[in-house]
């Protein structure tokens, strides 16, 4: 992708939380183990993918019956980890760039994509660095990243700068409620052992109101907000009216 240099918002500051990057780097080799530490994300993926696909089809007027409906559109998966979302997006036709602050995550993602024969542009970089380089995308996936960055305002400003006019960004994160603390931290990390202890910091969770304010301040419009709930009997996730723990937001940039 040809980049046009531009001055990054809040130049000199960083969104990177070094402790979080180190924590995820330590388990980078396990991203594609569906029974390992990232099992919750593998189980979460179907509802995330369905939401992204539905909103992108509507936003760009694409044919859902097509095998690769998003040909010609550029997508950024920011905080891509091992590529659990980047790969299905590439299969749907997007020209995918996967970015992560952890070089070990990028190494895992690149190796797995090569095994699958997928051409994905993986980079060990940050949102603010991409913005400074003048990169622009039709779609940005901002999934389970906001609660791990050091500077939410800078991160959202940078992501908004990366979005083309008329583009869309999907944000998935955790609400700062006692219910989220009980389920996402005590339950998932300490009782069930779904995630390594210390994966999440409740103080860094973001309420829907805070997220909407940050997106609006960055020049984006919030077009949709929905909760995501876990069904333990079916071991699956579904959309829900309850945003008390996990939720998804669709933000769009005016054309």
């Amino acid at each position: 992708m040809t980049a046009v240099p531009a001055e990054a918002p809040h130049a000199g500051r960083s969104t990177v939380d070094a402790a979080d990057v180190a924590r995820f780097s330590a388990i980078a080799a396990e991203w594609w183990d569906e029974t390992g530490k990232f099992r919750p994300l593998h189980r979460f993926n179907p509802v995330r993918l369905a939401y992204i696909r539905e909103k992108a089809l509507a936003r760009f007027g694409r044919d859902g019956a097509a095998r690769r409906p998003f040909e010609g559109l550029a997508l950024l998966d920011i905080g891509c980890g091992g590529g659990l979302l980047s790969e299905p997006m590439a299969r749907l036709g997007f020209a995918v760039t996967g970015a992560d602050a952890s070089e070990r995550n990028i190494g895992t993602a690149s190796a797995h994509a090569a095994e699958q024969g997928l051409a994905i542009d993986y980079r060990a970089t940050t949102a603010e660095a991409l913005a400074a380089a003048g990169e622009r995308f039709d779609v940005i996936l901002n999934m389970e990243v906001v609660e791990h960055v050091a500077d939410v305002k800078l991160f959202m400003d940078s992501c908004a700068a990366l979005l083309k006019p008329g583009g869309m960004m999907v944000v998935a994160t955790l609400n700062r409620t006692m219910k989220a603390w009980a389920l996402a931290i005590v339950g998932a990390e300490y009782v069930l052992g779904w995630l390594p202890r210390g994966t999440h910091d409740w103080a860094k969770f973001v309420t829907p109101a805070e997220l909407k304010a940050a997106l609006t301040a960055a020049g984006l419009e919030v077009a949709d907000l929905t909760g995501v709930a876990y069904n333990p009997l079916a071991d699956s996730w579904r959309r829900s009216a309850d945003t008390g723990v996990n939720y998804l937001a669709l933000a769009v940039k005016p054309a």
Side-chain angles (χ1 to χ4, degrees):
M1 178 181 298
T2 301
V4 178
E7 184 176 352
H10 313 286
R13 289 161 54 191
S14 173
T15 63
V16 174
D17 184 316
D20 259 339
V21 172
R23 189 175 297 117
F24 281 97
S25 293
I27 54 176
E30 301 186 46
W31 275 102
W32 288 95
D33 180 358
E34 295 186 20
T35 63
K37 292 183 173 65
F38 293 104
R39 181 182 183 277
L41 283 181
H42 284 276
R43 302 303 299 165
F44 197 17
N45 243 13
V47 72
R48 300 196 301 176
L49 291 170
Y51 185 86
I52 295 162
R53 185 176 185 277
E54 174 190 308
K55 298 305 180 184
L57 286 172
R59 182 70 181 170
F60 299 103
R62 297 301 176 100
D63 179 6
R67 187 175 68 87
R68 293 169 60 85
F70 302 116
E71 291 279 8
L73 295 176
L75 178 144
L76 170 66
D77 185 4
I78 190 71
C80 64
L84 301 191
L85 284 173
S86 295
E87 290 196 7
M89 292 297 106
R91 290 190 175 96
L92 286 171
F94 285 110
V96 177
T97 298
D100 199 284
S102 165
E103 291 189 8
R104 291 189 65 183
N105 283 348
I106 291 299
T108 297
S110 297
H112 195 273
E115 290 171 1
Q116 304 300 309
L118 294 172
I120 297 173
D121 180 9
Y122 281 119
R123 309 183 201 176
T125 188
T126 62
E128 59 270 25
L130 289 168
E135 302 276 4
R136 297 293 180 267
F137 302 89
D138 300 288
V139 177
I140 297 176
L141 302 186
N142 192 330
M143 314 298 278
E144 288 78 43
V145 182
V146 180
E147 67 271 22
H148 296 289
V149 302
D151 187 328
V152 173
K153 175 173 172 48
L154 171 59
F155 182 61
M156 284 304 177
D157 286 349
S158 299
C159 288
L162 288 164
L163 200 58
K164 293 180 182 178
M168 58 171 267
M169 177 165 64
V170 178
V171 183
T173 191
L174 287 152
N175 198 348
R176 196 173 61 257
T177 62
M178 291 310 298
K179 183 177 180 179
W181 176 80
L183 295 179
I185 296 181
V186 177
E189 296 182 19
Y190 289 84
V191 177
L192 297 173
W194 283 353
L195 299 167
R197 293 184 179 184
T199 296
H200 291 113
D201 177 353
W202 182 80
K204 293 174 71 174
F205 288 5
V206 180
T207 69
E210 290 168 344
L211 180 65
K212 184 175 182 180
L215 290 167
T216 301
L220 305 183
E221 299 173 356
V222 178
D224 185 65
L225 184 74
T226 184
V228 186
Y230 178 68
N231 181 338
L233 297 178
D235 188 24
S236 65
W237 295 81
R238 61 177 177 81
R239 293 186 218 177
S240 167
D242 183 4
T243 60
V245 183
N246 296 82
Y247 65 97
L248 290 161
L250 173 67
V252 299
K253 191 167 194 175

